């Protein structure tokens, strides 16, 4: 079971869109997928028409009672969509409740471990703030995907995120790999092109994805219907960009697995 954490310390960069669209393509290839909403704003939960205000089963239960089984909290999504661990607003209280206690950063990793035989891929949708939820998501991750809007202010959020990843790596025996994904790219605008150039000058190699996710109004249509864009319009620019991203993520996972075998 591979766990990908989708995170950035700035909101509005396309994290939820990335989670949903990657999940749709994974399912199209026969993968068993679980989505975990860790954001108190519950955008991912709402995407699939779940009422975060009324949810009695959510990821919050894992933190509130360590004896809770994640398998008992799973919610279905429409049709044959991915399974969902929903968010509730009460997640916003966890830093106050648990922040000073030791060993709270591994709760999610330990809770997800028993699901290894049930799912092939888990995608975690993070809040845009550094706290116990993001720390848990990073501790559980096999890889971090960092969507970054191609505009100047988003690059500042990316700087904070990369510093956080460096901090996390100092406490891990093996380096947590990440991939920065330029999103909402509009080749018609000077600002978007300049931001992409800046990204490519600062980040190189396997840190930065070679492609871009373009602006595509079909993402909004997919959200309104509670579907992945890979279902609604698989030939659209946005869907095809995420398909290329998925191919590259799977290739990175495969190459790293081979390297571990050789080592």
């Amino acid at each position: 079971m591979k766990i990908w954490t989708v995170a950035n310390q700035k909101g509005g960069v396309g994290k939820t869109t990335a989670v949903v669209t990657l999940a749709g393509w994974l399912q199209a290839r026969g993968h068993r997928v679980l989505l975990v909403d860790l954001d108190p704003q519950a955008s991912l939960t709402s995407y699939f028409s779940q009422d975060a205000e009324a949810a009695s089963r959510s990821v919050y239960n894992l933190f509130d009672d360590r004896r809770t089984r994640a398998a008992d909290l799973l919610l279905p999504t429409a049709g044959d969509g991915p399974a969902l661990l929903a968010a509730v607003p009460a997640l916003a209280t966890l830093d106050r409740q648990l922040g000073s206690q030791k060993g709270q950063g591994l709760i999610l990793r330990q809770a997800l471990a028993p699901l290894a035989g049930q799912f092939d891929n888990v995608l975690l949708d993070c809040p845009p703030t550094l706290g116990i939820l993001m720390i848990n998501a990073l501790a559980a991750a096999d890889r971090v995907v960092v969507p970054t809007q191609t505009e100047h202010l988003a690059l500042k959020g990316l700087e904070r995120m990369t510093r956080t990843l460096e901090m996390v790596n100092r406490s891990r025996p093996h380096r947590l790999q990440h991939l920065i994904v330029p999103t909402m790219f509009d080749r018609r605008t000077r600002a978007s092109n300049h931001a992409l150039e800046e990204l490519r000058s600062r980040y190189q190699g396997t840190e930065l994805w070679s492609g871009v996710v373009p602006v595509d109004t079909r993402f909004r249509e997919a959200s309104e219907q509670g579907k992945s864009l890979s279902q609604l319009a698989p030939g659209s620019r946005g869907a095809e960009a995420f398909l290329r991203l998925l191919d590259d993520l799977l290739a990175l996972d495969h190459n790293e697995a081979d390297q571990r075998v050789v080592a």
Side-chain angles (χ1 to χ4, degrees), residues 55-71:
S56 59
R57 292 181 292 162
S58 76
V59 71
Y60 177 81
N61 299 106
L62 298 176
F63 293 88
D64 187 49
D65 185 348
R66 297 283 292 273
R67 297 167 297 179
T68 304
R69 296 172 66 248

Side-chain angles (χ1 to χ4, degrees), residues 105-119:
L106 298 176
I107 291 175
L108 186 63
R109 178 180 175 182
Q110 293 165 352
L112 293 177
L115 300 177
Q118 192 171 345
F119 296 102

Side-chain angles (χ1 to χ4, degrees), residues 98-223:
L98 305 176
S100 62
Q101 299 179 26
K102 292 184 178 180
Q104 302 304 312
L106 298 176
I107 291 175
L108 186 63
R109 178 180 175 182
Q110 293 165 352
L112 293 177
L115 300 177
Q118 192 171 345
F119 296 102
D120 303 304
N121 298 86
V122 181
L123 280 75
L124 311 181
D125 191 8
C126 287
T129 53
L130 179 59
I132 195 166
L133 290 165
M134 185 180 286
I135 292 298
N136 267 267
L138 296 176
D142 295 305
R143 182 178 304 282
V144 181
V145 178
V146 188
T148 302
Q149 185 180 359
T150 47
E151 59 96 16
H152 179 68
L153 289 179
L155 301 188
K156 296 297 183 182
L158 177 59
E159 289 176 7
R160 292 193 296 272
M161 189 67 221
T162 53
R163 286 198 297 269
T164 295
L165 289 169
E166 288 301 321
M167 176 191 73
V168 169
N169 276 323
R170 287 196 291 269
S171 64
R172 288 173 62 105
H174 302 291
R175 186 172 181 82
L176 177 58
Q177 300 297 327
H178 68 274
L179 185 67
I180 299 164
V181 178
T183 61
M184 304 181 192
F185 177 69
D186 188 345
R187 60 183 176 82
R188 299 168 299 179
T189 68
R190 183 176 180 180
S192 200
N193 281 285
H194 178 73
L196 182 60
E197 290 174 8
E198 197 168 350
L199 274 173
R200 288 175 172 169
S201 68
R202 292 188 194 180
Y203 305 97
Q204 299 177 358
T206 57
E207 269 194 317
L208 177 67
W209 185 44
S210 60
V212 297
V213 176
V215 170
D216 190 336
T217 58
R218 304 303 298 273
F219 284 122
R220 185 174 301 163
E221 295 175 32
S223 175

Side-chain angles (χ1 to χ4, degrees), residues 22 29 35 74 78 157 203 242:
L22 287 170
R29 294 188 173 183
L35 306 183
L74 303 181
Y203 305 97
F242 273 109

